[in-house]
Amino acid sequence: GELCASTCKTRWNAMPPAPDQNPTAILLRKLESIAILTDAERQAVASLPMRVQSLGARQDILREGDESRHCCLILEGWACRYKLLSAGKRQIFSFHIVGDVPNLQSLHIPDADHNIATLTKARIGYIPHDSLRALTTNHPSVGALLWRDTLIEAAIFRAWMVGMGRRSAFEQIAHLFCEMYLKMQAVGLAEGYRCPMPITQADLADALGLTPVHINRVLKDMRGRAMITLKSDMLVLEAWNELIRVSEFDPTYLHLEARAAG
């Protein structure tokens, strides 16, 4: 079911990238959210070849066991990494937004050990491994930046592990909302404590190790305490400071170039 059930007090003007925007500009925007590039590095990234494909919601981008020869850049929409158990139970490892490259590790580990799928309608840019390797050879600092991005992903995994092991359901959801807001703000997809949130209660449950019923109860509690508003796939963080306090959220692990919320 959908996340939203209450009335949104403020209209939100979404800021998705224009369909005709140069796809590599989206990658540049992501990279420059965590570091500063030189003009030569920007030009090299902008010259990367890319094949663009449109996908529907709930479609696999990469399946477990596949050998990947491309890195997949999210150009529009949301995606996730996940694994299915034999009984059909799903564990989501991470959510991915515009600018993310969820299989960046495939440059060095080409055989996929999990699945990557769209959560919404999406556009995906496929960048050949050979082109990325040439880029990192000619511009080692860009290679270091891509390595930095994978390390930040590892830091996010650690934060999720702490949440699943030691935080209450309320604290986990509050922490995730703060994390996703800052990630979207850093690439120009959120502002004013408002951001897209098109994922379902089932998606949240599979990511946080909870049940959809428990997720529903916590979201109702958050709305009742005027901490959030959810409407038409948009999230408004009505009480940012309180969400931070309750979840003990410290954005340091995101290592963003600019972390100020607002």
Side-chain angles (χ1 to χ4, degrees):
E2 293 299 319
L3 277 175
C4 331
S6 60
T7 302
C8 185
K9 299 176 183 175
T10 310
R11 287 189 66 85
W12 152 252
N13 295 317
M15 299 177 289
D20 58 351
Q21 180 178 351
N22 181 352
T24 55
I26 293 172
L27 179 58
L28 279 168
R29 183 171 62 181
K30 168 59 184 290
L31 294 177
E32 292 187 319
S33 74
I34 57 175
I36 298 172
L37 297 174
T38 67
D39 289 342
E41 290 164 351
R42 286 177 56 85
Q43 184 174 354
V45 172
S47 299
L48 284 169
M50 193 181 308
R51 174 176 62 86
V52 177
Q53 180 182 22
S54 295
L55 295 174
R58 312 288 163 174
Q59 283 190 252
D60 281 335
I61 301 169
L62 187 67
R63 293 185 178 92
E64 184 175 359
D66 287 351
E67 181 180 352
S68 181
R69 298 179 181 177
H70 300 79
C71 285
C72 306
L73 171 67
I74 311 298
L75 299 174
E76 290 180 15
W78 282 51
C80 71
R81 285 189 274 195
Y82 75 97
K83 197 173 182 77
L84 281 178
L85 300 181
S86 58
K89 295 181 179 179
R90 178 181 64 159
Q91 178 64 53
I92 290 177
F93 303 129
S94 55
F95 293 124
H96 293 280
I97 60 172
V98 171
D100 284 353
V101 184
N103 71 326
L104 191 54
Q105 74 278 359
S106 69
L107 267 175
H108 303 289
I109 307 175
D111 294 330
D113 58 16
H114 59 277
N115 307 283
I116 302 175
T118 61
L119 290 168
T120 66
K121 290 182 179 179
R123 284 200 314 147
I124 309 299
Y126 297 89
I127 309 170
H129 282 172
D130 289 346
S131 299
L132 278 171
R133 290 191 184 101
L135 171 67
T136 59
T137 297
N138 295 327
H139 297 276
S141 57
V142 175
L145 179 53
L146 295 176
W147 173 229
R148 174 183 169 88
D149 189 54
T150 62
L151 293 175
I152 292 172
E153 286 290 337
I156 293 173
F157 279 137
R158 289 192 291 273
W160 280 37
M161 184 179 296
V162 171
M164 293 179 71
R166 290 292 179 261
R167 291 193 178 101
S168 69
F170 194 103
E171 293 163 352
Q172 282 190 77
I173 295 173
H175 197 277
L176 178 64
F177 283 169
C178 291
E179 173 184 297
M180 296 308 301
Y181 174 74
L182 286 187
K183 282 190 63 178
M184 285 184 273
Q185 184 199 41
V187 293
L189 296 175
E191 64 181 1
Y193 302 108
R194 298 167 179 83
C195 62
M197 191 58 63
I199 54 180
T200 67
Q201 291 182 17
D203 295 329
L204 277 178
D206 287 351
L208 302 178
L210 303 168
T211 66
V213 171
H214 202 163
I215 295 288
N216 183 274
R217 188 181 303 123
V218 171
L219 294 177
K220 183 177 180 180
D221 189 14
M222 285 183 168
R223 288 191 293 264
R225 293 165 61 176
M227 297 177 74
I228 64 166
T229 302
L230 283 163
K231 176 67 175 178
S232 301
D233 295 338
M234 295 295 165
L235 169 67
V236 183
L237 303 174
E238 305 281 7
W240 174 258
N241 290 333
E242 181 64 8
L243 288 166
I244 287 178
R245 186 193 67 78
V246 166
S247 64
E248 299 184 10
F249 181 78
D250 179 350
T252 303
Y253 71 101
L254 296 174
H255 301 282
L256 296 170
E257 190 68 19
R259 291 199 300 268

